[in-house]
Amino acid sequence: MAGGEYSSALSQYGEHLQRRRYAPNTQCAYLRCVAHFAHWLTQERHDLAAIGQGAVVRFLSEHLPACTCPDPVRRFRHELQAALGHLLEVLEAGGVPLQYPARNSAMERELTRFDTHMRDVWGLAESTRRRRCRVVGEFLVEHFGERPISMTTVKATSIRRFILGEQGRGPAAVAAIGVAIACYLRFRSISGDRVNELKAAIPRVARWRLASLPEVLTDTEIDELLSSFDQSFPSRLRAYAMVRCLIDLGLRSGEVVKLQLDDINWADGTINLVGTKSRRADALPLPAATGAAIAAYLREERPATSNRAIFVRHVAPYDEPITTTSVKRAVLAGYRICGWTRTGVHILRHSAASRLLRAGAQMKEIADILRHRSLDTSAIYAKVDLTNLAAVALPWPGSAQ
């Protein structure tokens, strides 16, 4: 990389890190990572025009394992990957034409059409579309490679073999992959392809609706979990407020991270949920304890940021949204303090429904609070009301009356 090019890019890179409010030691480490990459580019006789995702992949996979560059270069893969990701962002923003690996344009167009149809016609959530596109992409690569995509060449045995896997998959994996492939075949059917034989080849996994019993926390366990956040640890108030949203409002992790400052009406004591899984806007009463937890976080712990989300990052880059991983980490932190080995987050939503049921709420009220479209979805929680179930249970035949 030419000296002038390197100096200019390095200056822009440093300004980029400062705008993102990275700590000085992190900025220093990332600059050394970029210097390491620049040294390798010089050895390879590349300039700025050669930089792109392909060059980064080569640097990390080929050069790094056998690196003999002199200190003080940085050699931590995760650190280099993050630093070079910022470098590509800076160069692209500066108008540098970056090189990217060639892609199968036919497959890209097919997956784009499929994703657009799922979004605009079926109204599927982004996370669902992403999972299904990943599965369908793997199937298309395996079956077509770089050849044109034509469903007339796909055999029923190919569908079945892909879904079941070479080494065999578990029932849950077979069901999930089968749903994704069925969704794609439905899309192809709407496009005019005859795929009835292929749809019939999808393995069916036995699954009885409402057969399982949801795991829930008892009132004592809920109190213990909430009390665990009294201890001092990083982002404690954010973790406590997020867990209160899960337990008190029965929110999903994705709904927690999407909450905006403007969604809370403090005067009326309500909270608006927009862009949820049910794809509708809902207004729920905001419990006093939940509101107090959110207010404490906003006043005492939330960093200054342009992000309008209620829950934000506590490390640079501050202005980017958090993900559901942050919610899961908050819940797991509470579990660890309680000495539990649980790993699931959705148990808190189940527990919210169970608490409502024990408090005497009607099934329709529970369905409204959890934003279920059908009462059948909420009916499973009637099975965890063991007290009322025992009152109507008949004696076992032949047992003592």
Side-chain angles (χ1 to χ4, degrees):
M1 186 184 294
E5 289 181 317
Y6 176 74
S7 299
S8 176
L10 200 61
S11 175
Q12 295 174 23
Y13 187 76
E15 293 172 0
H16 169 82
L17 295 181
Q18 289 178 4
R19 284 195 305 270
R20 294 294 188 91
R21 290 188 285 170
Y22 279 96
N25 58 337
T26 303
Q27 293 184 39
C28 180
Y30 280 8
L31 286 169
R32 287 182 178 178
C33 288
V34 172
H36 188 182
F37 182 56
H39 177 75
W40 174 76
L41 287 174
T42 302
Q43 297 295 107
E44 295 288 311
R45 301 184 183 279
H46 292 320
D47 55 19
L48 276 176
I51 294 180
Q53 191 62 45
V56 171
V57 170
R58 282 187 54 216
F59 172 74
L60 295 175
S61 60
E62 298 176 11
H63 169 73
L64 189 60
C67 174
T68 58
C69 297
D71 290 331
V73 298
R74 306 289 288 195
R75 294 186 176 85
F76 298 109
R77 184 184 180 89
H78 70 279
E79 201 173 58
L80 286 162
Q81 198 163 14
L84 297 181
H86 286 292
L87 177 63
L88 295 182
E89 186 179 336
V90 168
L91 293 176
E92 194 163 25
V96 177
L98 303 182
Q99 295 184 359
Y100 290 93
R103 294 179 177 177
N104 184 331
S105 58
M107 186 177 303
E108 287 291 319
R109 289 195 299 269
E110 178 71 359
L111 291 177
T112 298
R113 287 177 56 236
F114 179 48
D115 181 65
T116 301
H117 187 88
M118 287 191 292
R119 182 194 65 202
D120 296 344
V121 179
W122 296 334
L124 298 183
E126 181 182 356
S127 57
T128 301
R129 302 198 318 268
R130 185 167 55 248
R131 288 194 300 269
R132 294 186 182 181
C133 281
R134 178 181 56 78
V135 171
V136 171
E138 291 173 358
F139 170 74
L140 295 178
V141 168
E142 179 179 301
H143 190 81
F144 297 104
E146 298 183 359
R147 293 181 287 110
I149 298 171
S150 173
M151 299 308 292
T152 59
T153 65
V154 180
K155 305 298 183 185
T157 53
S158 301
I159 294 286
R160 190 173 184 84
R161 183 171 58 251
F162 174 79
I163 294 175
L164 294 177
E166 294 293 337
Q167 306 299 324
R169 308 185 200 271
V174 169
I177 295 174
V179 167
I181 296 299
C183 183
Y184 177 66
L185 293 178
R186 181 184 171 195
F187 162 70
R188 294 299 307 212
S189 176
I190 294 173
S191 302
D193 292 318
R194 296 182 178 180
V195 294
N196 288 338
E197 182 182 350
L198 301 181
K199 289 194 287 187
I202 296 176
R204 307 298 177 186
V205 178
R207 184 183 177 207
W208 289 270
R209 183 169 174 78
L210 305 181
S212 60
L213 189 67
E215 183 183 4
V216 298
L217 301 180
T218 64
D219 288 339
T220 301
E221 289 175 324
I222 290 174
D223 291 340
E224 183 180 356
L225 176 61
L226 294 175
S227 298
S228 69
F229 295 99
D230 292 340
Q231 301 188 31
S232 178
F233 60 88
S235 305
R236 177 185 69 85
L237 295 179
R238 185 184 70 177
Y240 177 66
M242 291 194 296
V243 170
R244 290 234 66 128
C245 289
L246 296 170
I247 291 178
D248 298 339
L249 298 170
L251 300 188
R252 304 175 180 91
S253 297
E255 294 168 345
V256 171
V257 301
K258 290 180 180 178
L259 289 176
Q260 301 289 305
L261 294 172
D262 299 328
D263 290 338
I264 297 182
N265 187 324
W266 295 102
D268 294 343
T270 59
I271 185 167
N272 294 316
L273 304 178
V274 182
T276 62
K277 185 177 180 181
S278 60
R279 297 181 295 280
R280 66 188 187 195
D282 298 280
L284 295 179
L286 181 64
T290 315
I294 294 174
Y297 165 66
L298 295 177
R299 287 196 307 263
E300 303 175 30
E301 194 177 82
R302 186 178 186 272
T305 172
S306 62
N307 195 336
R308 294 297 294 171
I310 291 177
F311 301 110
V312 298
R313 290 173 59 91
H314 288 189
V315 294
Y318 292 95
D319 295 332
E320 292 187 4
I322 64 170
T323 65
T324 55
T325 301
S326 299
V327 181
K328 184 174 182 179
R329 286 175 180 163
V331 175
L332 294 184
Y335 287 172
R336 285 193 299 271
I337 294 173
C338 292
W340 300 344
T341 57
R342 292 184 171 96
T343 58
V345 175
H346 214 62
I347 184 178
L348 302 185
R349 181 170 165 84
H350 293 323
S351 300
S354 178
R355 275 210 303 179
L356 289 170
L357 192 62
R358 291 197 299 270
Q362 298 299 312
M363 199 59 65
K364 177 63 168 64
E365 296 172 330
I366 296 175
D368 289 342
I369 292 175
L370 297 185
R371 301 165 312 286
H372 288 154
R373 289 184 171 183
S374 170
L375 283 176
D376 287 344
T377 309
S378 306
I380 191 170
Y381 298 113
K383 298 167 61 176
V384 300
D385 189 3
L386 301 181
T387 302
N388 288 330
L389 284 176
V392 298
L394 296 174
W396 187 260
S399 64
Q401 298 297 315

